[in-house]
Amino acid sequence: MQQGNTAPEWWRSAVVYQVYIRSFADGNGDGIGDIAGLRSRLPYLRDLGIDAIWINPWYPSPQIDAGYDVSDYRAIEPAYGDIAEAEQLIAEAHAMGIKVVLDIVPNHTSWDHPWFQAALSGDEAARARYLFRPGKGEYGELPPNDWEAIFGGPAWTRSTNPDGTPGDWYCHLFAPAQPDLDWTNPEVIAEFEDILRFWFDKGVDGFRIDVAHGLAKQEGLPDAGLRSGRKDRVDHPAWDQDGVHEIYRGWRRVADQYDDRVFVAEAWVEDNDRLARYLRPDELHTAFQFDFLQAPFVAPVMKATIDDARAAAAAVGAPATWVLSNHDVVRHATRYARSQPDHAVSSIWEQARWHEGAPDLALGLRRARAAALLTLGLPGTAYVYQGEELGLPEYEDMPAEARQDPAIKQSGGVQIGRDGCRVPLPWSGTEAPYGFSEGSPQTWLPQPADWAHYTAAAQEADDESTLHLYRRALELRAKWLQGEGFAWVEAPAGAFGFSRGEVQVWLNTSGEPIDLPGELLLGSDADAEPGTLPSDAAAWVRV
Ligand code: GLC
Ligand code: CA
C-alpha cells in the first residue's frame, strides 16, 4: 500500500527532490552514485518530507553528456544497477510515500544507440529516424545550415559512409554524441510512447522531459540567420516550434490511461505565454519556471516574475513550478553570493561573466535560505535540487583537468561547464569522500577539501542548520500552506509579503530590517530580532 501524498493531482502542490544519481550516494564503493546508494538513503528523503523524487537519466549510456546520451531507454546503466534493482527502488520509495519521476530524453539518442549505429551502416529506415542532410558547398563540405549547437560549434557533424567516403551531415543540437531524432517520423513517435508505457507499467509516476522545446524543427530546416545564437532562440527554426504540441498531446493520451501520472517539461522558451502553451489541458501537466530560477535576489524582480508565472500558468489551469537550482546551473547559494544584477541572468550560460570577484558564501547562504522559504511558501509545485537542503555552494575552483562536461571542449573553453553543481554529496565525516562512498575511492568528480561542515551528519547535529530549516519548512508547508490561496499584502520598498490563508510569507532584500506582523512560524535568519525581518532573510508568520 502506498502511503504519503495520495491526493488526486498530487503534482499540483508536490515538493519534488531532484536526485542526480551519479552524485547522490555510492552503494558499491566505485566512486559513482548508484541505485543501491539511493535505496540506502531513502529514509533521509522520507525524513526530509518530500513527496517525490526525480531521477536524472539512469539508462545505459556512454556518459558523454552524463547520461543525457541514452543508448537503451528500457534498461539501467550497469554502473547504477539493473532493472530488478530499479523495480525494488520504485517499490521501496512507494512504500515510504515517495513518488518516482524519471527523466526521458526524446530530442536525441546516444550515437551508440542501435538506431544510430544502423543509420551509420546505411540502413535507410534507420537514417530516416534522424536528421541526415547533404552538406552545402561543391563537395558537401559545409554544414546544411547555420544552426549552432548549445555546447558550441555547428549543430552538424559529417558522417562517413560505410565505404569510407565522406557522407551526409547529421544534426545535433547538443554534442556530436547526441544525434537529434526526426520527430516527423511515425516510428519515432510510436517508440517513445512505448517507452513511456514501459516505465508507467513499472509504476513510475511521471517523467521530466529533457529539452521539451527542441523536438520539432521547422520544415526544411532553414537557416536561423541572426537568430542562430543561444540567447536568440526566439523564433529560431530549431526551438519551440508549433509541431511539438501534437507530440505531447499523444503523450498525454498515454499518461491518461494510468492513474495520476505527471509530466514536467524542461522548456527554455521566450516567455511565460509560450511556456503556457505546453501546459494546455490536453498537453503537459507542469513545466519548470526558469524565469524564477534566473531572477536575481532582488524583491521587486522576484515579485514581478512570480506574478507573470502565476498568471500564465493559471490561464491554462496549470500550477506554477518553482525551481532555484538543477544540474545545469550554478548553485543558487553561489549565484546569490555576489552583487545582484537588477535583471534576470541565465546563470549557466552567462556564468563566465557572472564569476567576477570572490563570492561571499556566507551572504549567499543567507539568501539561499531565504529563497528556500520563499519558494516553498508559494502555491504550486516546488523542486529541490539535491544538496540545496545542505546549503551547498558551487564548486567553482574544481580543477580544470577534473571537469567532464562536454560543453567545455566543444565551446573551446568559452563555457566553464556544469561540473561545479554536480559534485558528489557530502554525507558524513571530515574529508572526501565524506561518506558518499564506502571506503575512499576517487569520486567521479572531486569534492572540495573544506566541505566537512556541509555534511548531512554535521547538519543533523546542528538545530540551526539549513537541513533542519528545510525539514521544518516542509513540515509546516504540509500543514499550513496547501491550496491555491494567494494575495500580496502591503510591504515596504525592497520587500514583499503575501498571504496564504492564515500564514504570510515575507522576503526582505531592501538592505534594512522591516517590521514583521503576526507570530513567527519559521525564519531563515535565526538571529533576527523578534518582530523584525532583517535584509536577505525570509519568514513565515501566522496572522
Ligand atoms: C538538458 C539537460 C542537460 C543536457 C541537455 C542535453 O538541458 O538538463 O543536462 O546536457 O539537456 O540532453
Ligand atoms: Ca557505485
Side-chain angles (χ1 to χ4, degrees), residues 65 68 105 108 151 174 178 208 210-211 266 327-328 418 422:
D65 186 22
Y68 283 97
V105 188
H108 43 263
F151 297 153
F174 293 86
Q178 295 166 300
R208 177 260 189 192
D210 187 60
V211 196
E266 183 216 20
H327 64 291
D328 291 329
R418 300 160 291 179
R422 300 176 174 180

Side-chain angles (χ1 to χ4, degrees), residues 26-34 79:
D26 171 18
N28 69 349
D30 65 355
I32 300 172
D34 48 40

Side-chain angles (χ1 to χ4, degrees), residues 74 104 189-204 207 250 253-255 257-258 261:
R74 296 182 187 79
I104 191 160
I189 294 173
E191 171 71 356
F192 275 84
E193 291 187 359
D194 191 67
I195 293 165
L196 295 177
R197 281 190 212 98
F198 176 86
W199 291 105
F200 281 149
D201 287 341
K202 294 200 180 303
V204 159
F207 288 91
R253 286 192 289 273
V254 173
Q257 286 158 12
Y258 298 81
R261 311 296 157 110

Side-chain angles (χ1 to χ4, degrees), residues 216-436:
K217 276 84 176 172
Q218 193 174 315
E219 211 185 318
L221 313 184
D223 278 346
L226 289 176
R227 302 158 298 182
S228 59
R230 163 112 190 175
K231 291 306 288 178
D232 296 311
R233 281 183 180 185
V234 179
D235 199 23
H236 187 295
W239 301 107
D240 192 23
Q241 295 295 304
D242 287 347
V244 82
H245 298 287
E246 203 43 44
I247 299 168
Y248 298 133
R249 289 190 190 104
W251 287 26
R252 182 62 179 255
R253 286 192 289 273
V254 173
D256 283 349
Q257 286 158 12
Y258 298 81
D259 287 344
D260 240 357
R261 311 296 157 110
V262 68
F263 291 118
V264 57
E266 183 216 20
W268 297 86
V269 295
E270 183 188 351
D271 58 30
N272 283 320
D273 291 332
R274 296 297 300 183
L275 191 66
R277 294 159 59 87
Y278 292 74
L279 301 176
R280 290 175 286 197
D282 58 346
E283 296 190 43
L284 306 175
H285 311 78
T286 58
F288 293 117
Q289 178 43 245
F290 289 131
D291 284 357
F292 183 69
L293 179 151
Q294 296 181 108
F297 190 82
V298 174
V301 182
M302 287 178 139
K303 185 176 176 188
T305 307
I306 291 167
D307 273 338
D308 190 56
R310 280 175 44 76
V316 285
T321 299
W322 312 107
V323 57
L324 292 169
S325 277
N326 63 35
H327 64 291
D328 291 329
V329 302
V330 175
R331 282 186 177 276
H332 57 276
T334 295
R335 296 201 311 265
Y336 298 153
R338 293 186 170 89
S339 68
Q340 297 295 288
D342 59 4
H343 60 276
V345 172
S346 163
S347 53
I348 173 70
W349 311 105
E350 291 185 20
Q351 65 181 341
R353 266 168 287 161
W354 181 279
H355 274 185
E356 283 157 23
D360 178 346
L361 289 182
L363 176 63
L365 181 59
R366 264 180 76 71
R367 291 172 169 172
R369 289 168 60 104
L373 290 195
L374 166 62
T375 307
L376 296 172
L378 285 164
T381 315
Y383 279 71
V384 172
Y385 177 46
Q386 71 176 40
E388 74 169 75
E389 80 282 17
L390 304 174
L392 288 188
E394 183 86 359
Y395 183 11
E396 292 188 306
D397 300 330
M398 184 184 293
E401 62 279 10
R403 291 181 179 262
Q404 302 198 16
D405 188 342
I408 303 171
K409 222 180 183 173
Q410 203 172 317
S411 70
V414 170
Q415 294 175 28
I416 189 178
R418 300 160 291 179
D419 301 290
C421 65
R422 300 176 174 180
V423 175
L425 280 193
W427 289 98
S428 60
T430 54
E431 55 187 47
Y434 300 107
F436 172 76

Side-chain angles (χ1 to χ4, degrees), residues 40-55:
S40 74
R41 299 288 184 181
L42 282 176
Y44 169 86
L45 296 175
R46 177 200 56 209
D47 295 348
L48 188 58
I50 48 102
D51 300 300
I53 52 175
W54 148 36
I55 306 172

